[in-house]
Amino acid sequence: MTRVRGAQGVRGSGGARRWPAVPLLGALAVLLAGCGIRATEVPTDFGPAPSRVPCSLSDVAGSSAPDVAAETTAGVPVQVFLLCASQLVTVDRAVRVPDGTAEAERRVLVAQGLLDELARTPSANETGAGYTTDVRGGMSVGGPGPGDPEDALRLSTSPAALASYALAQIVCTFSDSAAAEGDGSVVLGGPDTDPLRRYTCTPEVRSRPGAQVPPSSGVDGG
């Protein structure tokens, strides 16, 4: 194909004129500058995209309501404290207690059920909302030993050996349940003759479980 080059562009054999791209781009840059728009080759950083507020199960796609409903129909509805955004937050659970169970045995069954729920891996919805747990599986709880107060609970691991987050979860969960006397505290000890202490779940513990150890006082007996 024969081309004729001229000052106004390139003419092909068919007579159609094709304009060079560079002058057009230069003209566009001049027009943009005249309008007060600065051309740039570097992407502008507008900051991170807004993120979902954590610890809100209602914000998670397919909320956990169906899971909770299924759990609560299978036992006695309870609440346990999980960790979220470095705080203690309640979530709904259920524990199994046979009808007609004596009160003393009922307390222990509820406590063991709560302990199992604390050690259970949070559901997919809870994990998506930022919930975690520091309580490890395999721990058990029993009632008072010889000479202990009747409201005492003995863990298979001494409370003093637990990490601060795990102890805060257990204390706040137990003290807010039928496993305790309902006064915001719970008497805990380890196995055998481990000293008993009355632990209290305070607002400071709930808001800063990693830094604030549940306050406690010695208990006679044990």
Side-chain angles (χ1 to χ4, degrees):
M1 179 178 65
T2 303
R3 297 184 179 180
V4 179
R5 184 179 301 276
Q8 301 301 318
V10 178
R11 185 185 299 276
S13 59
R17 178 171 295 171
R18 292 180 296 171
W19 296 93
V22 174
L24 288 177
L25 292 176
L28 179 59
V30 172
L31 289 175
L32 291 175
C35 295
I37 301 175
R38 183 183 301 274
T40 177
E41 296 180 357
V42 180
T44 303
D45 182 8
F46 293 102
S51 59
R52 176 178 50 78
V53 176
C55 311
S56 178
L57 291 174
S58 62
D59 291 339
V60 180
S63 71
S64 63
D67 295 338
V68 172
E71 289 175 350
T72 54
T73 57
V76 178
V78 294
Q79 286 189 321
V80 299
F81 282 86
L82 297 184
L83 299 168
C84 191
S86 299
Q87 300 181 30
L88 293 183
V89 184
T90 58
V91 297
D92 294 325
R93 290 284 191 270
V95 298
R96 293 181 178 276
V97 179
D99 293 337
T101 302
E103 182 60 27
E105 185 181 357
R106 179 185 177 87
R107 289 181 57 253
V108 175
L109 288 176
V110 169
Q112 184 62 59
L114 292 171
L115 198 58
D116 293 341
E117 290 299 323
L118 285 172
R120 185 164 65 116
T121 301
S123 68
N125 289 331
E126 291 164 349
T127 300
Y131 289 80
T132 62
T133 183
D134 208 48
V135 178
R136 300 294 175 255
M139 196 183 312
S140 62
V141 59
D148 290 348
E150 63 179 11
D151 60 343
L153 294 171
R154 286 194 171 274
L155 301 172
S156 58
T157 299
S158 174
L162 295 173
S164 58
Y165 282 113
L167 180 60
Q169 284 185 260
I170 293 172
V171 167
C172 288
T173 297
F174 281 4
S175 65
D176 194 41
S177 73
E181 296 298 319
D183 60 353
S185 68
V186 60
V187 177
L188 292 177
D192 302 325
T193 59
D194 189 69
L196 294 172
R197 298 191 68 83
R198 181 176 294 276
Y199 294 87
T200 303
C201 178
T202 64
E204 292 75 20
V205 172
R206 290 192 293 269
S207 62
R208 301 178 60 201
Q212 181 65 50
V213 178
S216 64
S217 57
V219 175
D220 293 334

